[in-house]
């Protein structure tokens, strides 16, 4: 399933809202009404920072993603970053808006995106 990643942007101080859509992202799994959007490279905040996250080592991708499910139908994180070579997982709490791009280690950022 392919979904478009969109953002709602307030253009002025008035209530003028626009939708900005990027290229399609591949939907890989669901948690309630959220979908994992796969982005190559490490997860980054809007200002390019690493954000706030917890690290888990020697863990599978599925187990990494499960750290984000609060068992009540709502995610408890904004994204997970997974490095398959090191089998390491970062569970992010701050909003993630982009990734670093292709990584030699194969690191992937999976951002939770709301689907209606």
């Amino acid at each position: 399933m392919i979904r478009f990643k969109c953002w709602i942007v307030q253009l002025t101080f008035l209530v003028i809202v626009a939708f900005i859509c990027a290229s399609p992202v591949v939907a890989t799994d669901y948690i309630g009404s959220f979908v994992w959007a796969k982005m190559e490279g490490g997860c980054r905040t809007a200002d390019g920072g690493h954000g706030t996250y917890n690290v888990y080592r020697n863990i599978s991708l599925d187990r990494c993603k499960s750290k984000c499910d609060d068992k009540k139908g709502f995610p408890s994180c904004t994204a997970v970053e997974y490095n398959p070579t090191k089998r390491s997982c970062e569970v992010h709490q701050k909003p993630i808006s982009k990734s670093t791009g292709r990584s030699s280690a194969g690191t992937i950022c999976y951002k939770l995106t709301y689907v209606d």
Side-chain angles (χ1 to χ4, degrees):
M1 173 187 300
I2 296 180
R3 300 240 184 231
F4 282 90
K5 180 171 48 175
C6 298
W7 298 270
I8 298 174
V9 178
Q10 185 173 350
L11 298 177
T12 67
F13 292 114
L14 302 173
V15 185
I16 299 173
V17 177
F19 287 93
I20 300 172
C21 295
S23 59
V25 293
V26 178
T28 55
D29 288 311
Y30 285 96
I31 292 182
S33 55
F34 291 86
V35 64
W36 291 108
K38 181 178 178 180
M39 302 184 294
E40 292 196 28
C43 299
R44 295 295 180 264
T45 59
D47 65 0
H50 294 268
T52 303
Y53 57 88
N54 295 319
V55 177
Y56 299 91
R57 306 219 186 273
N58 198 24
I59 191 170
S60 70
L61 174 58
D62 287 337
R63 181 90 172 134
C64 178
K65 288 179 178 179
S66 75
K67 298 285 186 188
C68 201
D69 186 359
D70 75 353
K71 310 298 183 225
K72 296 176 186 168
F74 296 99
S76 58
C77 74
T78 61
V80 297
E81 179 179 313
Y82 188 73
N83 180 319
T85 306
K86 295 180 179 179
R87 292 180 44 89
S88 66
C89 167
E90 295 177 2
V91 178
H92 288 261
Q93 287 80 39
K94 293 217 176 192
I96 295 298
S97 59
K98 57 188 173 183
S99 69
T100 59
R102 192 173 298 265
S103 161
S104 61
T107 300
I108 301 289
C109 178
Y110 294 91
K111 178 182 171 185
L112 274 176
T113 305
Y114 181 76
V115 281
D116 37 306

